[in-house]
Amino acid sequence: MRKRFAARAFSLSASYDSAIATWFTKELGEESPVVTRVYKPEFPLKYGCNPHQKPAGISSLLNSNLPFTVLNGTPGYINLLDAANAWLLVKELREATGLAAASSFKHVSPAGAAVAVPLTDVECAAYEVTPEAAAKLTPSALAYLRARNADPMCSFGDYAAVSDIVDEDTALILKKEVSDGIVAPGYTPEALEILKSKKGGKFIVLEAKADFKPDSVEYREVCGMTFCQKRNDVVITKDHMTKNVVTKGGLSALSEDAIRDMIVASICVKYTQSNSVGFAKDGMMVGVGAGQQSRVDCVKLAGRKVTTWYLRQHPKVLGLQFKQGVKRQDRVNARVRYIEGDFTDEERTRWEAQFETVPEPLTTAEKDEFMKQATGVTISSDAFFPFRDSIDHASKVGVSYVAQPGGSVQDPQVTQCCDDYGMVMSFTSVRLFHH
């Protein structure tokens, strides 16, 4: 008991000394000889990234609050990393576009992100929602429906974020999806009750604190080293997309929809593990390529996702007749495998068993013909394109607009490549690496 009280007493006096030292540190800036940071344990976690990584927990900086309040469930280590990044992403999308925004995160990168833009009838069919129901969706619900359908296979078990108050419509969409949790600035009573009942009451619901402001300098400990840097608080705006259009036609070649999609894609890659590129169309991400060492590999990875997104709208895919009782996620996966078509014999037998009648194959010729209509897609890159190969590949999936920082010795070659394909390219002058 005496040791416990002594620990509390010394912790209190240490925190007081730390508060004084921190004030002087901020006054001195880079000249400070010592940096002191004191953390207050808030709650334990079951484990860290993996079950063998114990103990684990969440702390707050002394005299500061956590950015979220836990309303339901028990968040884990990766859940909270996803929630922090997902919330910042949708908050910035909301501020930049003026539209309700949503994101779908997996392993600290977005599988999808979107703003509230009305759906076409074909998109409704691909996303399994009737046009009548889609027309009645609230902006928050519409944004999440789009974000989830960017790459619904990767979004399985996602962590969701919504920029606006979560209403009943949004909660009902989440209710039918396999998802771990959500973060938002608030919830209607009806929505909160729906979400609390999900996953047997274990669905994680976090409420973001509107007045929370992260410190301007962030710290990270790795292998005995403490890294610090100014937080990446650059605000991506329309000005970044319009101030330096380097291709033929200039600014007049950019539509308002294209500028919106450039903003959406650029903010998305800001919160995607680097190297990263993102493709956007109609206010939503349609392909995200994360964490590749080669930029052109990012483009190929994300470009494959764009192709899949387009082909989910092919008449033969929309016409697949599933047996009664096939689960929603199984239907999603089956459509993607139908598009890919590279079954093993064992896999094909199990795949065919899901249908009333065995579908005719979607041939390469049919896919190529359908993809010829792809156009109006935007690609954004977190750093410059070092060669024209990324643009060459992007041309295969309907890219019309390009946003990238610029700054490569190959900029003239890449610009010429965009002109060759009739693309419009903007140099934003902002690199967006994220690690």
Side-chain angles (χ1 to χ4, degrees):
M1 181 67 72
R2 291 175 61 190
K3 289 181 179 179
R4 188 177 295 118
F5 284 141
R8 288 184 181 180
F10 281 113
S11 294
L12 180 63
S13 61
S15 66
Y16 179 72
D17 290 341
S18 174
I20 297 172
T22 298
W23 185 88
F24 277 108
T25 295
K26 289 180 179 179
E27 292 295 305
L28 291 169
E30 295 181 2
E31 296 178 8
S32 174
V34 176
V35 175
T36 56
R37 292 172 66 80
V38 178
Y39 297 98
K40 176 188 173 187
E42 294 286 354
F43 53 86
L45 298 173
K46 188 176 180 181
Y47 51 78
C49 282
N50 301 291
H52 64 272
Q53 291 180 260
K54 303 174 184 177
I58 292 295
S59 298
S60 63
L61 197 58
L62 190 67
N63 299 319
S64 297
N65 296 317
L66 293 177
F68 313 122
T69 300
V70 180
L71 301 184
N72 194 69
T74 305
Y77 190 98
I78 296 173
N79 293 145
L80 290 166
L81 286 173
D82 281 342
N85 283 274
W87 168 245
L88 291 172
L89 191 160
V90 299
K91 187 170 180 287
E92 290 183 27
L93 276 183
R94 184 60 157 116
E95 293 169 355
T97 66
L99 300 169
S103 64
S104 171
F105 259 68
K106 286 285 293 291
H107 290 282
V108 206
S109 281
V115 293
V117 173
L119 299 172
T120 66
D121 287 352
V122 174
E123 286 177 313
C124 288
Y127 306 160
E128 296 190 357
V129 59
T130 66
E132 295 75 22
K136 296 176 182 177
L137 289 176
T138 59
S140 292
L142 180 56
Y144 182 68
L145 181 65
R146 279 195 174 277
R148 178 81 187 202
N149 277 284
D151 187 351
M153 181 180 278
C154 285
S155 282
F156 181 81
D158 71 342
Y159 205 96
V162 178
S163 65
D164 293 19
I165 300 295
V166 173
D167 48 39
E168 190 173 4
D169 279 2
T170 313
L172 288 171
I173 290 174
L174 267 161
K175 182 180 179 180
K176 62 185 179 183
E177 303 289 6
V178 177
S179 178
D180 278 356
I182 185 172
V183 57
Y187 305 83
T188 65
E190 298 82 4
L192 190 56
E193 286 308 306
I194 292 169
L195 296 173
K196 281 183 173 181
S197 68
K198 189 172 168 63
K199 291 185 70 174
K202 295 181 180 179
F203 188 70
I204 303 160
V205 182
L206 301 181
E207 184 172 270
K209 296 177 181 175
D211 59 348
F212 179 82
K213 264 193 150 183
D215 280 356
S216 59
V217 177
E218 57 190 12
Y219 294 80
R220 180 189 300 183
E221 292 184 17
V222 180
C223 196
M225 298 178 288
T226 301
F227 294 77
C228 73
Q229 65 173 355
K230 179 180 181 294
R231 189 172 67 85
N232 188 3
D233 57 3
V234 63
V235 179
I236 303 297
T237 67
K238 180 178 179 178
D239 287 346
H240 288 99
M241 310 307 159
T242 58
K243 66 183 178 182
N244 192 14
V245 181
V246 295
T247 43
K248 293 176 182 176
L251 180 57
S252 61
L254 276 181
S255 66
E256 287 299 316
D257 285 351
I259 293 169
R260 175 203 60 211
D261 289 349
M262 284 177 157
I263 292 170
V264 169
S266 297
I267 292 176
C268 182
V269 298
K270 179 183 174 185
Y271 291 101
T272 303
Q273 299 300 303
S274 296
N275 287 319
S276 68
V277 302
F279 294 83
K281 183 173 170 61
D282 297 331
M284 67 182 284
M285 301 306 297
V286 293
V288 179
Q292 302 302 302
Q293 288 75 25
S294 165
R295 189 155 304 279
V296 72
D297 281 348
C298 288
V299 176
K300 290 176 180 178
L301 172 62
R304 177 173 58 81
K305 295 172 184 285
V306 177
T307 299
T308 300
W309 177 80
Y310 262 114
L311 291 174
R312 282 163 54 208
Q313 302 169 55
H314 191 285
K316 289 180 75 169
V317 178
L318 296 178
L320 292 173
Q321 298 297 312
F322 290 94
K323 290 179 178 178
Q324 285 289 105
V326 176
K327 293 181 179 180
R328 179 179 177 83
Q329 191 63 41
D330 290 333
R331 296 195 300 272
V332 166
N333 296 348
R335 292 187 185 106
V336 173
R337 293 301 292 127
Y338 177 58
I339 290 165
E340 293 170 341
D342 55 345
F343 300 101
T344 65
D345 291 342
E346 175 65 22
E347 183 185 10
R348 181 180 294 279
T349 299
R350 296 175 183 276
W351 179 82
E352 289 177 349
Q354 300 175 95
F355 300 95
E356 294 289 352
T357 57
V358 176
E360 289 293 320
L362 182 61
T363 67
T364 299
E366 288 172 320
K367 290 187 274 192
D368 290 345
E369 184 63 29
F370 192 78
M371 285 302 296
K372 287 180 181 178
Q373 67 181 290
T375 188
V377 177
T378 291
I379 183 173
S380 180
S381 176
D382 65 355
F384 61 66
F385 289 113
F387 305 102
R388 62 170 287 155
D389 54 0
S390 291
I391 305 301
D392 287 324
H393 193 81
S395 72
K396 300 175 185 179
V397 293
V399 166
S400 301
Y401 307 99
V402 180
Q404 62 135 323
S408 168
V409 295
Q410 296 284 355
D411 281 352
Q413 182 193 79
V414 173
T415 302
Q416 181 60 54
C417 185
C418 287
D419 282 332
D420 292 344
Y421 289 114
M423 299 177 187
V424 184
M425 182 166 67
S426 294
F427 284 166
T428 64
S429 301
V430 179
R431 197 177 79 176
L432 296 170
F433 279 167
H434 184 61
H435 291 288

